[in-house]
Amino acid sequence: MDAKMEDPVAEVSTSEYTVAPSMAAKMVEKSPYAMLKESKLSVEEIVAKMLSLKKDDNSNPKLRELVTQMLLHFVNLRQANRKILIEEDRVKAETELAKAPVDSTTLQLHNLMYEKSHYLKAIKACKDFKSKYPDIQLVTEAEFLSQAPNEFKGTSISNETAHNVMLKRLNYELYQRKELCKFREKLELKKKSLLETIAIRKKFLSSLPSHLKALKKASLPAQNQFGILHTKKQKQLHAAELLPPALYIIYSQFMAQKEAFGENIELEIIGSLKDAQTFVRRQASKDNGISSLQESSRVDDDVVDEEDDSQRRRKRPKKVAGKENVETSGIYLAHPLRIILNVHDDEVSESDPKPAKLVTLKFEYLFKLNVVCVGVEGSDQGPDNSILCNLFPDDKGLELPQQSAKLLLGDGAEFDESRTTRPYKWAQHLAGIDFLPEVSPSLSNNEATKFETGKDTIMSGLSLYRQQNRVQTVVQRVRSRKKAQLALAEQLDSLTNLTWPSLTCQSVPWASHEHLCFLHKWLLVGSSHNLGLSLPSVDLEQQCHDSLDDDVAGRAGTSKEEVEVGIVKEDGELPSLIPEAVVTDDKSNNHASGAKHSAKRMTPIPKSIGLPIKTVRNPSFGRYEEDIDLMLDSESELDDSTKFEMENECVNPEDNSWVDYGVKEYDLVMTRRRDVQEGNVDLEAKVRISMEYPTRPPLFKLSLCSQSPGVKSSSIEHPVWYNELRAMEAEVNLHIIKMLPPDQENYILSHQVHCLAMFFDFYLHEASQPSLGSKCNSVIDIGLCNPVSGGLNARSFRGRDRRKMLSWKDMECTSGYPF
Amino acid sequence: MVMDVTNWDEDEYRNTILHERGFQYRTIFRAIFAPSSNPNPSSDIVVSASSDGSVATYSLSTILSSQEIRNGISSAKQVLAAQPNCFLQAHEGPAYDVKFYGDDADALLLSCGDDGRIRGWKWKELEDFMTNRQKQGSHVKPTIDLINPQHRGPWYAMSPISENNAMAVDHQGGSIFAAAGDSCAYNWDVETSKIKMVFKGHSDYLHCIVFCKGINQIITGSEDGTARIWDCRSGKCTQVISPKRDENLKELSSVSCIALDASESWLAYGSGQNLFVWNLLASDQISRICIPTTCQDVVFDDNNILAVGASPMLSRMDMDGKILSQIRCAPESAFSVSLDQSGVIAVAGYGGLIDVISQFGSHLCTFQPTSL
């Protein structure tokens, strides 16, 4: 607008002089705008005139006028402009004035708007408000109407608003709940009182078992008196139920044997019942989950019953278990229960009606290996000397019977030798664990022995089990073994004391023979497992003991040694910590006085201590002989296979190593005193006593030493004697055993020693006074004074091996026949 | 036999043990090779006489092959258990000697023993049994059965029947000579089973006897310490051979074995710890050989003498007594050494062991006969 306005102004200014002053005058009275417009128009007219004038004639006097007019118009224009500006200012001021009230009103309006929205929000919040208990369970309206008493319903419920009804319902609800609370309290009280009565009754009940126990205990003497032993039996039966199947079979079969045949045995189950129960439970849960819960609860009930007497018995099993837990590692874990079997003597002596206890066996079950182990309870001997060893052939108890167990234990591993109980094969048979032999029966030429494997065949195997009389066999074997061992120990004792073992049997010639020789030495030189090794301290002690005995025995003959004997005796009484000192002392004694009393007996200690036993005899061939023995045994086992002419001489030396297991070797020396010139003669015998004594009789190996005066004892084998020694061996080892009456079986060793002594006497006697000259007896019948014709040659030798003949007359032997 | 608690028989077990032990304490008194029809290879069959009265035959090839099957390599030091091909329970007591009478198809196997009998079987029949693999040959009837006479004592007492310790045969003359325990040697006629001649003169029982074909004489060795040469026609003793007495020999040892060489001009006999070599033509003792043990059997091998005694040693000596070799053999005391024509040696003795040694001195096999 400005530009518009200026433009005309500029134009006006340029053509000012064209504006007519008359026009300007007129415009004053009009509105500025109209004036402005008029002026403008006039200006434009003037300018147009001026332009046309200019074209015609530049110097027209009218121009001046026109310019004046123009100027007038310009003035008008300026005036109009000023007026417009003034008017504008005025309008602006007016507008300012009018704006203030408008603003305040607008503010007011805004306030009101805000207020309104706030209220709206508050209203919405109120509307949205939720109750703290949004869903109080109320009885339904219909129920409320029908059941609530009037005081809650009010007079006319139909008229009430929904809200009020609700309130009423709530009230009613409150009331009802309060009532219920009261009722609950009442019940609580009642319950408490009931609990109290229950507690009292329970207390009575729990005190009842102990009363019963007391009664039971009180009845024990009575039970003992009457021999019923109900309580113990009950307990054992209960324990038996917890036994693993293998031990259970042993237990039940022994029990049956005892009850059916009156076998003199006693059975007992020891071990912690609790452990057994946990074991059973664990086993059961492993097998079939929770199904055994019921059983275990029953079992639990019994625990209480057993509690106090396990308390009583705790001492022993605790100790055992504790000890074994340390040494058993995983695989040797034993079932907590064990069976103790007491075997009594079956011959009842008249003096003592109660048979003597022979041996106590302990059966335990290694569940990892599934084997039953047996040991002798309370034996002071090591496991190697156990009487159970080789109770049956090839059963030294080191080899695990089942292949599976063998695999478990690792390749080629044997059963831990240090354990006191061992998995003998017969124990497995007793437990019904029948196993397959290592090689097939056809190969080892077994006559159709049927073996079953696996637990599931146990039941079917039981009839077989009974048919085979396993229990009876084992009991008899154990009994006879123990008796044999007792008898053997007795004989060994007397031999160790260098006295002739006594013989009860008088029907054999050597029993009444007066021995001309005497026992000089009896010494344990080793047992099979430490042969060739240095002798253990026990043996040293034994030897010291022996040497002591020796010297004591020697004292009778030689009073000169008195002083020495004293010394040795003193040494012998020293603690065994210094056995070597004793020995060396002894040795030096011998060396020092060796020459002096060479004519007397020599204590054999230096020889046997210094050298391993094997070297005493011809070493290379000694080994060889052993091999022969082994082969013999193996071959006779295979004896009966006669299918082929081919003999199975496969001789695996290990096959029969069991025979030598636990063999004890003794050194026996018999000495015959002779003239001083001839010197004494020693008959030395190596006696090997097997575990299977007396079934496998002791084996004697003989050699002869003659002591000439001045020379130390030399074991030169007199060639003349060679055959005779062999013949004596054969006689002692084999032939006399066939002659012995069966009841003398346990005394085989004594018989052998006596017989050997008798032979020794005879042979020496013959050697000292050879051929008696005339051997032809002619007889003269004096009454008729006629010589009776004929004669008989008396002989004392016979055969290619020049066997000596002994005639047995009146329980006494003489040499030669006829005599 | 595997026995355990399931099939326990204590008596049987005890018997088994004694039975086993019996093998160890048996003595093989004689082991000889059977004559074989073809000389090459060497004879296969060994016949043994043992102290349990049995005469049994063993086939070496069977024993060796079974050993090889088992072990692959045969080790000489191993003792094999051998079952006999043919087993004869020939005598009541020990059987002391076996001999073959003849070597053709009609050959007899003779045995003598402690019960004073001499028994003979047809070798062909026994061979048949062997090939038929029937081991029990005891039902093969002996074709001859001779028994020593008893001597009369006072009041009609009869002496016990004396044993026969050794035999010699004269196949051409049809005779069997027996060295008997009654100090006599007997000449039996095979055809008639009668005694043709009794050689009396020794003062103690006879240990050994050999027959000299060339001069029709027998030579006997006796317990009395002498050997005697007898003429078979007259029955008279032509010579008493007794060792030249040394001053240190206190007493006479019995003549326990006697051997003739092939030319029948040399005689070797063992007496105690000495072995004497005698030249029959010169009737003189040539050498006296001291051996460490009592001599128990001797045999000539060409110009060598093989001797065994009461030690596990086989000695080979020349005529002068120089020891050529000593071979360790299995029996602790050997009673028999015999030769095959090919030079294989069999040594037998205590322990029931037979050791077969090859001509080169190596052990072929060692076996311990078992009964059935």
Side-chain angles (χ1 to χ4, degrees):
Chain A
M1 187 148 137
D2 276 342
K4 233 183 196 177
M5 292 192 25
E6 275 168 11
D7 236 6
V9 171
E11 277 178 44
V12 167
S13 60
T14 53
S15 57
E16 213 173 5
Y17 48 90
T18 61
V19 175
S22 58
M23 288 209 30
K26 273 200 247 175
M27 278 171 59
V28 178
E29 292 118 31
K30 293 178 190 177
S31 73
Y33 287 105
M35 206 162 70
L36 199 59
K37 216 163 199 180
E38 274 171 24
S39 308
K40 185 197 155 188
L41 287 172
S42 333
V43 168
E44 277 168 356
E45 258 171 50
I46 295 163
V47 168
K49 269 176 200 166
M50 279 169 77
L51 275 172
S52 60
L53 280 173
K54 277 244 177 132
K55 272 167 193 177
D56 297 342
D57 187 9
N58 286 345
S59 47
N60 199 337
K62 259 184 127 183
L63 267 178
R64 187 68 60 141
E65 193 188 336
L66 281 173
V67 170
T68 350
Q69 276 181 336
M70 258 307 254
L71 287 172
L72 278 173
H73 281 297
F74 279 143
V75 172
N76 286 339
L77 270 175
R78 285 191 80 163
Q79 188 188 1
N81 193 27
R82 195 184 304 126
K83 278 184 184 166
I84 287 170
L85 287 174
I86 291 166
E87 183 68 13
E88 201 181 301
D89 283 343
R90 197 192 41 87
V91 168
K92 264 187 187 169
E94 267 175 28
T95 315
E96 284 298 320
L97 279 177
K99 204 177 169 186
V102 170
D103 280 350
S104 66
T105 341
T106 318
L107 196 62
Q108 218 172 348
L109 174 69
H110 279 293
N111 278 340
L112 287 173
M113 291 287 275
Y114 180 77
E115 220 170 317
K116 178 198 167 190
S117 71
H118 175 74
Y119 284 131
L120 281 175
K121 219 182 262 174
I123 288 165
K124 191 162 190 284
C126 289
K127 274 186 175 165
D128 288 350
F129 174 76
K130 291 221 161 173
S131 151
K132 200 177 176 181
Y133 313 101
D135 44 354
I136 299 170
Q137 283 185 338
L138 299 174
V139 290
T140 58
E141 210 167 327
E143 236 173 293
F144 172 72
L145 289 178
S146 61
Q147 289 179 357
N150 277 337
E151 45 184 351
F152 290 103
K153 269 192 270 190
T155 45
S156 54
I157 196 133
S158 52
N159 306 340
E160 297 281 352
T161 60
H163 184 69
N164 280 345
V165 171
M166 192 63 187
L167 284 178
K168 278 181 182 161
R169 280 173 67 192
L170 283 173
N171 279 337
Y172 177 56
E173 187 68 30
L174 184 64
Y175 165 77
Q176 270 188 323
R177 287 189 183 200
K178 271 181 186 164
E179 287 292 305
L180 283 175
C181 275
K182 265 184 225 158
F183 186 58
R184 182 174 146 249
E185 261 169 39
K186 227 190 280 172
L187 285 179
E188 288 276 357
L189 272 177
K190 199 173 175 188
K191 180 186 164 199
K192 208 171 165 190
S193 66
L194 280 175
L195 275 179
E196 265 163 28
T197 54
I198 285 171
I200 290 164
R201 287 183 188 177
K202 235 184 195 163
K203 209 169 160 192
F204 170 69
L205 274 179
S206 61
S207 71
L208 200 57
S210 61
H211 284 298
L212 288 175
K213 259 281 115 73
L215 268 177
K216 229 184 209 178
K217 230 174 250 175
S219 75
L220 270 182
Q223 284 186 27
N224 277 334
Q225 194 70 35
F226 296 123
I228 302 168
L229 295 179
H230 180 72
T231 320
K232 200 176 167 191
K233 214 173 181 177
Q234 202 67 23
K235 213 171 289 165
Q236 292 286 307
L237 285 181
H238 168 65
E241 281 172 24
L242 291 170
L243 286 173
L247 290 183
Y248 183 81
I249 288 180
I250 293 183
Y251 183 79
S252 60
Q253 294 295 326
F254 271 114
M255 223 40 187
Q257 181 75 20
K258 182 186 173 182
E259 280 163 11
F261 297 110
E263 195 80 61
N264 265 325
I265 51 177
E266 257 175 41
L267 281 163
E268 196 185 350
I269 297 172
I270 61 159
S272 146
L273 284 175
K274 247 185 186 168
D275 286 353
Q277 275 150 2
T278 49
F279 184 83
V280 163
R281 219 167 299 156
R282 206 166 53 222
Q283 208 68 9
S285 63
K286 210 184 288 172
D287 286 351
N288 45 2
I290 327 159
S291 69
S292 63
L293 262 180
Q294 189 201 350
E295 192 197 358
S296 69
S297 70
R298 184 179 64 96
V299 158
D300 274 334
D301 290 343
D302 297 329
V303 173
V304 185
D305 194 33
E306 297 304 329
E307 200 69 23
D308 69 329
D309 81 42
S310 68
Q311 202 90 21
R312 194 180 58 198
R313 210 185 285 164
R314 185 149 292 167
K315 270 180 210 160
R316 194 167 47 166
K318 256 284 152 55
K319 201 172 60 191
V320 172
K323 201 179 74 185
E324 276 182 2
N325 281 343
V326 178
E327 67 185 353
T328 50
S329 56
I331 210 145
Y332 288 126
L333 277 179
H335 191 273
L337 290 184
R338 295 169 190 81
I339 299 180
I340 296 289
L341 172 71
N342 293 321
V343 180
H344 296 288
D345 201 341
D346 52 355
E347 288 154 19
V348 182
S349 61
E350 284 122 33
S351 57
D352 186 11
K354 209 162 183 204
K357 190 156 107 179
L358 274 179
V359 64
T360 305
L361 303 183
K362 185 173 88 174
F363 292 84
E364 63 182 9
Y365 178 65
L366 306 185
F367 52 87
K368 279 272 166 54
L369 294 172
N370 187 27
V371 290
V372 174
C373 290
V374 198
V376 178
E377 180 88 339
S379 75
D380 48 348
Q381 299 167 315
D384 296 315
N385 301 328
S386 166
I387 61 157
L388 303 175
C389 210
N390 284 339
L391 192 61
F392 293 91
D394 194 7
D395 196 5
K396 55 184 178 176
L398 283 183
E399 201 182 340
L400 282 163
Q402 293 113 322
Q403 297 300 312
S404 58
K406 255 185 211 166
L407 288 177
L408 261 178
L409 206 57
D411 195 26
E414 284 202 317
F415 196 75
D416 189 359
E417 276 198 53
S418 59
R419 293 181 66 80
T420 50
T421 60
R422 294 205 173 160
Y424 299 105
K425 286 176 192 158
W426 57 264
Q428 319 308 318
H429 285 304
L430 268 189
I433 308 173
D434 284 342
F435 49 86
L436 286 171
E438 192 137 67
V439 283
S440 84
S442 63
L443 198 72
S444 66
N445 152 48
N446 195 339
E447 33 185 56
T449 322
K450 255 179 71 192
F451 288 100
E452 284 114 335
T453 38
K455 265 184 180 173
D456 36 28
T457 51
I458 283 180
M459 288 321 287
S460 68
L462 267 180
S463 61
L464 184 66
Y465 186 113
R466 275 187 287 271
Q467 276 171 16
Q468 287 165 344
N469 291 328
R470 291 186 192 176
V471 170
Q472 201 179 357
T473 313
V474 166
V475 170
Q476 278 169 1
R477 284 295 292 164
V478 167
R479 198 171 276 154
S480 65
R481 168 67 60 92
K482 182 64 187 180
K483 279 183 186 168
Q485 290 290 326
L486 287 176
L488 180 62
E490 185 189 311
Q491 294 168 57
L492 288 178
D493 272 355
S494 79
L495 284 171
T496 311
N497 294 329
L498 300 181
T499 53
W500 296 105
S502 58
L503 285 179
T504 50
C505 170
Q506 293 298 323
S507 63
V508 284
W510 49 84
S512 49
H513 179 77
E514 287 283 329
H515 298 303
L516 298 171
C517 59
F518 61 93
L519 284 171
H520 182 171
K521 179 173 124 181
W522 176 264
L523 190 59
L524 175 70
V525 289
S527 41
S528 66
H529 42 272
N530 56 15
L531 279 183
L533 301 173
S534 62
L535 294 162
S537 59
V538 181
D539 287 357
L540 278 176
E541 270 181 46
Q542 173 80 23
Q543 279 172 352
C544 293
H545 181 62
D546 277 358
S547 72
L548 178 65
D549 285 347
D550 220 354
D551 282 340
V552 171
R555 189 159 47 161
T558 59
S559 58
K560 218 165 116 190
E561 281 183 33
E562 287 265 338
V563 186
E564 279 178 28
V565 168
I567 292 167
V568 173
K569 220 175 166 183
E570 235 173 53
D571 283 344
E573 280 164 7
L574 285 175
S576 60
L577 284 173
I578 46 160
E580 275 180 60
V582 179
V583 170
T584 47
D585 185 26
D586 222 332
K587 209 188 282 185
S588 60
N589 275 351
N590 275 328
H591 279 304
S593 55
K596 225 191 284 173
H597 62 137
S598 61
K600 297 157 205 152
R601 290 171 295 109
M602 302 275 300
T603 38
I605 304 293
K607 195 168 64 185
S608 50
I609 282 194
L611 303 169
I613 309 100
K614 288 273 172 183
T615 58
V616 174
R617 211 177 175 180
N618 194 345
S620 63
F621 216 69
R623 175 77 52 178
Y624 191 35
E625 280 165 359
E626 236 179 37
D627 287 352
I628 294 173
D629 291 355
L630 293 181
M631 266 156 244
L632 277 174
D633 294 329
S634 80
E635 144 268 296
S636 55
E637 271 193 12
L638 307 173
D639 224 350
D640 292 8
S641 72
T642 49
K643 284 280 183 294
F644 304 102
E645 203 158 312
M646 298 261 237
E647 240 312 289
N648 26 5
E649 310 91 338
C650 170
V651 181
N652 185 358
E654 284 171 34
D655 276 352
N656 279 296
S657 56
W658 63 268
V659 173
D660 281 337
Y661 190 80
V663 165
K664 290 198 195 101
E665 191 167 311
Y666 292 89
D667 212 353
L668 166 71
V669 176
M670 293 180 186
T671 304
R672 169 82 179 271
R673 270 185 224 272
R674 294 199 298 187
D675 304 346
V676 184
Q677 291 90 356
E678 287 177 299
N680 291 351
V681 182
D682 285 349
L683 180 69
E684 190 174 340
K686 298 244 175 287
V687 188
R688 288 169 67 86
I689 301 178
S690 142
M691 278 316 292
E692 291 179 273
Y693 178 91
T695 317
R696 192 180 292 279
L699 198 66
F700 285 66
K701 272 189 182 157
L702 306 177
S703 58
L704 199 69
C705 300
S706 57
Q707 302 171 344
S708 349
V711 188
K712 279 195 76 178
S713 69
S714 56
S715 64
I716 308 163
E717 289 222 327
H718 211 269
V720 180
W721 281 79
Y722 201 92
N723 288 341
E724 286 167 7
L725 288 178
R726 300 290 86 77
M728 278 155 82
E729 276 178 12
E731 195 66 30
V732 167
N733 286 333
L734 182 66
H735 298 305
I736 68 158
I737 289 157
K738 294 176 180 166
M739 287 171 58
L740 283 179
D743 62 320
Q744 287 291 309
E745 194 181 54
N746 288 343
Y747 295 95
I748 281 184
L749 181 62
S750 300
H751 282 285
Q752 283 178 311
V753 169
H754 277 280
C755 182
L756 186 62
M758 185 182 79
F759 288 143
F760 184 46
D761 288 346
F762 272 109
Y763 281 97
L764 270 188
H765 191 62
E766 285 297 309
S768 58
Q769 26 181 296
S771 56
L772 295 157
S774 156
K775 287 174 179 163
C776 187
N777 310 353
S778 293
V779 184
I780 297 174
D781 194 338
I782 295 180
L784 295 174
C785 284
N786 256 347
V788 174
S789 63
L792 294 177
N793 283 341
R795 313 167 56 184
S796 50
F797 296 96
R798 187 180 172 96
R800 284 194 62 209
D801 50 352
R802 303 186 75 236
R803 297 188 308 278
K804 289 201 170 69
M805 289 180 292
L806 298 181
S807 301
W808 184 356
K809 184 177 89 176
D810 290 342
M811 291 299 146
E812 186 67 58
C813 283
T814 44
S815 60
Y817 178 83
F819 39 86
Chain B
M1 156 85 100
V2 179
M3 237 194 256
D4 54 26
V5 66
T6 57
N7 53 347
W8 184 244
D9 184 346
E10 183 156 354
D11 290 335
E12 193 179 334
Y13 181 60
R14 189 180 295 119
N15 289 338
T16 312
I17 289 176
L18 291 181
H19 194 61
E20 281 167 24
R21 205 169 259 194
F23 296 133
Q24 291 176 59
Y25 292 107
R26 217 155 56 155
T27 307
I28 309 277
F29 281 110
R30 187 70 73 189
I32 59 167
F33 291 97
S36 57
S37 45
N38 51 338
N40 201 23
S42 61
S43 58
D44 179 42
I45 306 286
V46 172
V47 183
S48 72
S50 70
S51 59
D52 60 357
S54 67
V55 171
T57 67
Y58 305 90
S59 163
L60 290 182
S61 58
T62 313
I63 291 166
L64 283 172
S65 66
S66 68
Q67 179 192 17
E68 273 155 25
I69 286 168
R70 294 285 180 177
N71 299 351
I73 300 167
S74 57
S75 62
K77 274 292 170 195
Q78 200 177 11
V79 177
L80 309 169
Q83 281 207 314
N85 290 2
C86 173
F87 182 87
L88 302 164
Q89 189 59 49
H91 298 279
E92 300 276 327
Y96 288 127
D97 202 1
V98 281
K99 272 266 155 49
F100 279 96
Y101 178 80
D103 49 10
D104 49 6
D106 297 330
L108 293 175
L109 174 64
L110 302 176
S111 77
C112 65
D114 203 39
D115 55 358
R117 288 173 187 271
I118 296 174
R119 282 178 162 165
W121 293 265
K122 279 214 162 63
W123 180 238
K124 204 163 175 10
E125 281 180 38
L126 295 180
E127 268 183 327
D128 286 344
F129 274 102
M130 282 181 236
T131 48
N132 294 337
R133 303 205 176 242
Q134 289 183 1
K135 290 178 194 141
Q136 198 65 36
S138 52
H139 61 278
V140 181
K141 283 272 175 301
T143 45
I144 52 173
D145 195 347
L146 316 172
I147 185 157
N148 278 349
Q150 283 169 294
H151 297 273
R152 287 197 51 189
W155 301 293
Y156 310 103
M158 300 297 272
S159 77
I161 297 173
S162 57
E163 80 277 14
N164 281 321
N165 287 318
M167 287 181 300
V169 294
D170 173 14
H171 187 225
Q172 287 172 336
S175 309
I176 299 170
F177 302 95
D182 54 1
S183 314
C184 298
Y186 295 96
N187 180 359
W188 294 88
D189 190 284
V190 177
E191 298 297 323
T192 59
S193 296
K194 292 269 164 50
I195 294 174
K196 286 198 283 195
M197 188 82 74
V198 180
F199 305 94
K200 267 187 186 167
H202 277 294
S203 62
D204 208 336
Y205 77 95
L206 303 188
H207 274 288
C208 49
I209 188 164
V210 288
F211 175 67
C212 261
K213 217 184 314 176
I215 46 178
N216 199 13
Q217 287 178 333
I218 57 164
I219 305 163
T220 55
S222 162
E223 175 73 16
D224 63 8
T226 61
R228 287 178 190 238
I229 303 177
W230 311 81
D231 187 64
C232 291
R233 274 177 289 271
S234 64
K236 291 282 187 319
C237 176
T238 59
Q239 192 174 3
V240 178
I241 303 172
S242 73
K244 288 193 177 140
R245 300 291 290 272
D246 281 349
E247 57 282 355
N248 59 348
L249 269 177
K250 286 180 214 150
E251 60 197 83
L252 282 175
S253 305
S254 59
V255 176
S256 55
C257 54
I258 197 159
L260 265 181
D261 79 332
S263 64
E264 294 187 339
S265 56
W266 296 91
L267 176 76
Y269 67 94
S271 170
Q273 297 185 54
N274 298 295
L275 189 63
F276 297 95
V277 181
W278 191 276
N279 190 308
L280 286 177
L281 303 177
S283 296
D284 198 9
Q285 178 180 324
I286 300 302
S287 60
R288 171 180 163 227
I289 306 166
C290 275
I291 54 172
T293 60
T294 44
C295 188
Q296 290 179 154
D297 200 13
V298 63
V299 71
F300 274 96
D301 182 11
D302 290 341
N303 287 323
N304 296 336
I305 302 168
L306 299 174
V308 291
S311 72
M313 207 59 87
L314 168 69
S315 310
R316 179 183 285 268
M317 290 159 281
D318 64 7
M319 292 297 202
D320 297 328
K322 208 174 107 197
I323 291 181
L324 299 176
S325 69
Q326 285 201 312
I327 301 169
R328 190 171 192 87
C329 52
E332 284 189 77
S333 171
F335 278 103
S336 157
V337 56
S338 57
L339 267 176
D340 187 25
Q341 59 251 55
S342 62
V344 180
I345 306 164
V347 179
Y350 267 127
L353 292 165
I354 301 177
D355 203 353
V356 183
I357 299 165
S358 76
Q359 52 268 55
F360 313 110
S362 60
H363 288 263
L364 276 180
C365 65
T366 305
F367 62 94
Q368 185 166 47
T370 62
S371 63
L372 297 174

